Amino acid sequence: MTETSNAQWHDEPTDYDQTGKLPRLRPASSADPRSLGSLNITAAATDPELLDLPWHIALEQWPASALAALPRGISRHIVRFAHLGGSVIAVKETSEHIARHEYHMLRKLQRLDVPCVEPVAVISGRTTPEGEELDPVLVTRHLKFSLPYRALFSQTLRRDTLTRLIDAQALLLVRLHLIGFYWGDVSLSNTLFRRDAGSFAAYLVDAETGELYPELSTGQREYDLEIARVNIAGELMDLAEGGLIEEKVDPLATSELIMDSYRRLWSELTEQESFELGERWRVGARIRRLNELGFDVEEYAIKTAANGTEIQLQPKVVDAGHHSRRLLRLTGLDAQENQARRLLNAMDAYRADNSPTLDEEFSAHLWVNEVFEPIVRAVPRELGGKLEPAQVVHEVLEHRWYMSEREDRNVPLAEAVQSYLDDELRHRRDEAAIMLTADARTIGIDEDSEYTDN
């Protein structure tokens, strides 16, 4: 008698139907049906390759052949990385309630365009061949070119690097609070970082304690901020104990930086500003300051005082990604905010040097053809996973500027590219997917612990 799989797919729609249930698709399986059992899969899209993974085995016992060797940090859950088609996924064992809550929360955050990992599926109904029940899992897609904070550098973390990480964390927290998201477990460990020109971009990894509200109270925001301060202080103490940050760094004082960074940004984005009627230019100045911070003002309120001599300005809706959207509109290139700012500056300089009267869109097209694409094409295939293309272009342009200054001449682009490839990029770690090596412990990664994607 031939056994058939009971694996069932639930394709996750944008909205539930009137019964509150998800539509069920017909069973599909390319794996041995006996190893699947009665799996229940809720996914944003049907991906049959999910069925090729050994769901009948406890996650911490998965064979090496099924795993992707990525660094793992401390986690309260069992987390493993596995290959799925051409990407890498993170698999976390947890309760079904938590897995489904986090899955749906990540889906909502994605729709709100918040930087976070992509949810792939919730898989329940796992059993061993002997019928023993196994914990459900949440599957998320690993964020390419992202790094946990412990793996950012193979040497001692400097204070200014920590400050940039904390600033990125503060910006992420502000963006979450603006949309009404209460995190509840803010920490460097629950965040992934991607290089963003000379700074970092932060992405939310763990949403299991998060809740989405129409608006957060001051108390909710302050409590989240206090959680961040305490958690970051503990993480920095752990790094200091392992000799992974400069001795002069005070973990407690450094953790306070997130409070200052967050409050400065929140104040600029949300506080009401009053000025005299004759100072109406300050409306445009406020909006330009917000643009410089990477935010667009989609709506604002202006009120005049009863005596008619004073104006009150209140930003109502701010949307992150000002420079990224402009770069995408002009060139079709998708980049992090600070990368976009740097590339836009390079485009403006190119236009000023070559043809100031040229149409902006046409000049941007020429810049992509004559600067951006030649740099990207010059990177050998074996170095392609070192950094994402926008970061490479940013670093090449920086490298060229320093070369020109040092040698007191205008260094040709091709010469600068070759120098950068030989002197810098070739010696960088592969950040598309940092593999575990014997050096893992030198960057604070314990190969027997779980990389925190919880």
Side-chain angles (χ1 to χ4, degrees), residues 157-214:
L157 284 169
R158 295 176 290 113
R159 178 183 170 84
D160 64 340
T161 301
L162 290 172
T163 300
R164 285 183 290 152
L165 291 180
I166 290 172
D167 284 344
Q169 184 91 55
L171 175 57
L172 174 62
L173 191 56
V174 165
R175 290 187 64 176
L176 291 169
H177 286 176
L178 283 171
I179 65 165
F181 181 78
Y182 171 77
W183 195 341
D185 195 12
V186 192
S187 69
L188 296 175
S189 296
N190 287 335
T191 310
L192 287 174
F193 297 91
R194 295 174 78 173
R195 296 188 188 278
D196 184 10
S199 303
F200 293 99
Y203 287 74
L204 178 144
V205 176
D206 181 338
E208 70 176 50
T209 57
E211 294 290 346
L212 201 55
Y213 298 93

Side-chain angles (χ1 to χ4, degrees), residues 121-376:
V122 173
I123 301 177
S124 59
R126 299 171 61 218
T127 59
T128 67
E130 294 74 32
E132 180 183 351
E133 291 187 4
L134 297 173
D135 288 334
V137 298
L138 170 69
V139 181
T140 57
R141 204 172 304 279
H142 177 66
L143 184 64
K144 195 173 182 181
F145 292 105
S146 68
L147 299 166
Y149 76 102
R150 284 176 170 265
L152 278 166
F153 295 93
S154 58
Q155 299 177 351
T156 302
L157 284 169
R158 295 176 290 113
R159 178 183 170 84
D160 64 340
T161 301
L162 290 172
T163 300
R164 285 183 290 152
L165 291 180
I166 290 172
D167 284 344
Q169 184 91 55
L171 175 57
L172 174 62
L173 191 56
V174 165
R175 290 187 64 176
L176 291 169
H177 286 176
L178 283 171
I179 65 165
F181 181 78
Y182 171 77
W183 195 341
D185 195 12
V186 192
S187 69
L188 296 175
S189 296
N190 287 335
T191 310
L192 287 174
F193 297 91
R194 295 174 78 173
R195 296 188 188 278
D196 184 10
S199 303
F200 293 99
Y203 287 74
L204 178 144
V205 176
D206 181 338
E208 70 176 50
T209 57
E211 294 290 346
L212 201 55
Y213 298 93
E215 184 178 354
L216 294 185
S217 67
T218 300
Q220 286 174 309
R221 292 192 300 103
E222 286 295 320
Y223 190 65
D224 234 1
L225 196 54
E226 177 64 13
I227 290 172
R229 185 189 67 81
V230 172
N231 284 345
I232 291 173
E235 289 165 332
L236 297 185
M237 288 178 184
D238 183 51
L239 290 176
E241 185 70 23
L244 296 173
I245 55 177
E246 292 179 323
E247 292 184 3
K248 64 181 180 181
V249 173
D250 181 342
L252 292 177
T254 304
S255 71
E256 296 283 348
L257 295 176
I258 194 170
M259 313 285 281
D260 297 334
S261 182
Y262 174 95
R263 289 189 175 123
R264 282 197 306 271
L265 186 55
W266 185 265
S267 173
E268 187 65 65
L269 292 172
T270 64
E271 282 193 357
Q272 179 176 284
E273 182 178 4
S274 299
F275 46 88
E276 297 298 319
L277 190 61
E279 299 179 306
R280 283 173 290 184
W281 57 269
R282 290 175 61 177
V283 175
R286 175 76 178 273
I287 293 173
R288 283 193 297 274
R289 289 201 308 272
L290 292 173
N291 290 164
E292 281 300 304
L293 290 170
F295 289 84
D296 282 323
V297 180
E298 296 187 351
E299 180 184 335
Y300 56 88
I302 295 179
K303 295 181 180 180
T304 56
N307 57 16
T309 62
E310 187 179 83
I311 293 177
Q312 296 177 341
L313 172 65
Q314 173 75 64
K316 300 289 286 184
V317 179
V318 289
D319 191 15
H322 171 76
H323 298 97
S324 297
R325 281 191 293 274
R326 182 183 170 216
L327 181 68
L328 189 64
R329 175 177 59 82
L330 288 174
T331 67
L333 299 174
D334 192 5
Q336 305 287 345
E337 182 65 13
N338 287 313
Q339 290 170 348
R341 186 200 309 264
R342 176 67 182 88
L343 298 184
L344 287 167
N345 288 340
M347 286 168 44
D348 291 340
Y350 173 88
R351 184 184 182 199
D353 291 342
N354 291 278
S355 183
T357 60
L358 199 63
D359 178 78
E360 183 183 43
E361 284 79 6
F362 187 67
S363 178
H365 176 73
L366 289 178
W367 179 86
V368 170
N369 288 339
E370 297 181 11
V371 179
F372 188 92
E373 290 183 350
I375 293 175
V376 174

Side-chain angles (χ1 to χ4, degrees), residues 374-385 392 417 420-421 425:
I375 293 175
V376 174
R377 286 197 301 266
V379 178
R381 182 183 298 272
E382 66 272 15
L383 302 182
V392 169
V417 170
Y420 171 79
L421 295 177
L425 187 62

Side-chain angles (χ1 to χ4, degrees), residues 5 8 26 32 49-50 61 201 215 240 244 259 341 366 370 384 386 414 422:
S5 168
Q8 296 172 342
R26 62 182 178 84
D32 182 351
E49 289 179 321
L50 275 174
Q61 297 172 359
E215 184 178 354
L244 296 173
M259 313 285 281
R341 186 200 309 264
L366 289 178
E370 297 181 11
K386 298 285 185 177
D422 293 339

Side-chain angles (χ1 to χ4, degrees), residues 4-11 22-30 36 39-41 45-48 51:
T4 59
S5 168
N6 292 321
Q8 296 172 342
W9 287 92
H10 297 276
D11 187 27
L22 299 173
R24 178 172 297 175
L25 303 184
R26 62 182 178 84
S29 173
S30 60
L36 290 173
L39 289 183
N40 191 328
I41 303 174
T46 52
D47 192 340
L51 298 176

